[in-house]
Amino acid sequence: MTNSIDLSPQSAVDSQDSTGTVPSPRTRRRGRRDATATAERTITSPLSLSRRAVRIRYWIAFGVLTAALAVVALGPLYWLVTGSLKSTPELVRTPPTLFPGHAEWSNLSYAWSRLQVGKFMYNTILLAGGTLLAQLVIAVTGAYTLSIIRPAGHRIWLGLILATLFVPATIIFIPTYVTIVHIPIVHLNLINSRFAVWLPEAANAFNLYLLKRFFDQIPAELIDAARMDGANSAQVLRHVVLPLSRSIIAVICIFSIIASWKDFLWPKITLPDPMKQPISVALANLQSSIQVKYTLAALLIASIPPVVAFLLLQKRIIGGLADTGLTK
């Protein structure tokens, strides 16, 4: 009995790989096994999960781990919400109560009106908005220069910028303060000025790196087509690069706002005037003279804007980081 062999050109083409060589049967079988193992590779194999005892232990461990992470992550937030609605005797009770016996909603109104939480939140919004604008200007223009224009020595400049990420902030704290107190050449003192907070936060190497990674993924054909149409560098940035970078810019905006909202030490030193301080500094100064329940109520009000912003934009944060390749 003879075996029929297909000698058609199509069969030879189908059996070749991308390099033009015909893989052996052993190589093809090994490739199929590797693909199958990769597709089914999990913490617990599907074969093990098919057994009832293994499946029960798996879901018990998964539930315990999820509950533990939820307690660690949401426990402080739950204590803040319930504590802001309790009375002072109930707050100091041992053991603490899980729920307020009688919710005192007046704590929130007292914190808003008497502690001027609204005023301090307005100061925080101004500081966060100015910091965000400064960071976007520096990060966008710097990343565009290093990624698209690429001047001579751009790799060296990028390395020097990234090296600043390894310098602890405490090391440059005093030199930055001395510079703010007496700016060279112009001889300005920015103490009690919002520029004392905006300017040092403008140069953020992490934001510049995120944007550069994203700009590197923009197809060069789009840039070349815009330049062939007569667009200069500023027009390419405005009409091509920025419209394609909305997701990563949104990520930078959220990170910048949250960081500015919870910043404490630098605004406390550079803004000694109580009426110009953000809410993080103002509440720290007031907590020694007011009851704990009012402090917790003020902290609850102050934490609502960043938490709501993160919950509404969490998909955009994850999508923007995925676009840069940092989540891979």
Side-chain angles (χ1 to χ4, degrees):
M1 184 175 180
T2 60
N3 294 329
S4 61
I5 301 176
D6 189 1
L7 298 178
S8 62
Q10 184 63 35
S11 63
V13 172
D14 294 340
S15 62
Q16 293 179 351
D17 59 8
S18 60
T19 61
T21 60
V22 179
S24 64
R26 179 179 298 179
T27 303
R28 290 197 295 267
R29 288 195 299 270
R30 185 169 60 250
R32 286 195 295 269
R33 287 198 303 268
D34 294 342
T36 303
T38 302
E40 296 180 354
R41 186 178 296 126
T42 58
I43 297 177
T44 304
S45 65
L47 180 60
S48 300
L49 286 177
S50 62
R51 296 196 293 266
R52 186 170 182 271
V54 176
R55 190 165 59 250
I56 292 176
R57 290 196 298 268
Y58 173 82
W59 286 112
I60 289 177
F62 179 80
V64 170
L65 180 60
T66 304
L69 291 177
V71 170
V72 172
L74 300 179
L77 183 60
Y78 174 79
W79 189 87
L80 174 64
V81 174
T82 56
S84 62
L85 301 177
K86 293 180 180 179
S87 61
T88 300
E90 191 174 3
L91 273 174
V92 298
R93 182 180 303 174
T94 303
T97 57
L98 293 178
F99 304 96
H102 177 70
E104 296 188 359
W105 298 98
S106 60
N107 296 344
L108 300 176
S109 59
Y110 180 92
W112 181 265
S113 58
R114 299 293 296 274
L115 300 183
Q116 298 182 333
V117 172
K119 168 64 177 177
F120 297 130
M121 289 182 66
Y122 174 74
N123 294 339
T124 308
I125 292 174
L126 288 180
L127 294 177
T131 300
L132 172 61
L133 181 60
Q135 288 186 0
L136 285 180
V137 171
I138 299 298
V140 169
T141 54
Y144 179 75
T145 302
L146 296 175
S147 178
I148 306 299
I149 299 179
R150 295 185 179 181
H154 67 279
R155 295 182 182 274
I156 298 177
W157 287 111
L158 178 61
L160 293 175
I161 292 173
L162 294 181
T164 61
L165 294 174
F166 299 91
V167 179
T170 53
I171 293 180
I172 61 175
F173 192 88
I174 295 178
T176 305
Y177 180 80
V178 173
T179 304
I180 291 298
V181 171
H182 186 77
I183 298 180
I185 301 176
V186 293
H187 305 292
L188 287 178
N189 186 352
L190 295 182
I191 296 298
N192 263 331
S193 172
R194 294 187 177 94
F195 286 96
V197 178
W198 294 339
L199 295 181
E201 298 290 340
N204 191 304
F206 181 72
N207 291 342
L208 189 146
Y209 177 68
L210 283 181
L211 281 172
K212 185 187 180 301
R213 283 290 301 268
F214 189 91
F215 290 171
D216 289 341
Q217 299 176 6
I218 297 178
E221 291 79 4
L222 295 178
I223 308 297
D224 296 337
R227 288 172 175 170
M228 291 179 63
D229 290 338
N232 54 32
S233 297
Q235 291 173 335
V236 171
L237 173 63
R238 178 181 177 184
H239 298 289
V240 178
V241 177
L242 289 182
L244 295 174
S245 309
R246 293 175 181 174
S247 59
I248 189 60
I249 290 177
V251 173
I252 291 177
C253 290
I254 295 171
F255 284 171
S256 175
I257 291 174
I258 293 179
S260 299
W261 199 272
K262 64 181 182 181
D263 195 11
F264 173 77
L265 184 58
W266 185 252
K268 180 178 177 61
I269 295 176
T270 57
L271 298 175
D273 186 359
M275 300 310 297
K276 295 183 179 181
Q277 293 175 345
I279 193 167
S280 59
V281 179
L283 292 181
N285 296 334
L286 293 174
Q287 66 177 354
S288 60
S289 58
I290 60 176
Q291 300 183 39
V292 179
K293 62 178 182 179
Y294 298 136
T295 303
L296 293 178
L299 290 174
L300 176 62
I301 297 174
S303 63
I304 291 176
V307 170
V308 172
F310 178 81
L311 293 178
L312 293 177
L313 302 175
Q314 58 179 333
K315 292 183 178 179
R316 188 172 291 275
I317 294 176
I318 299 174
L321 290 177
D323 291 339
T324 63
L326 295 181
T327 58
K328 295 181 180 180

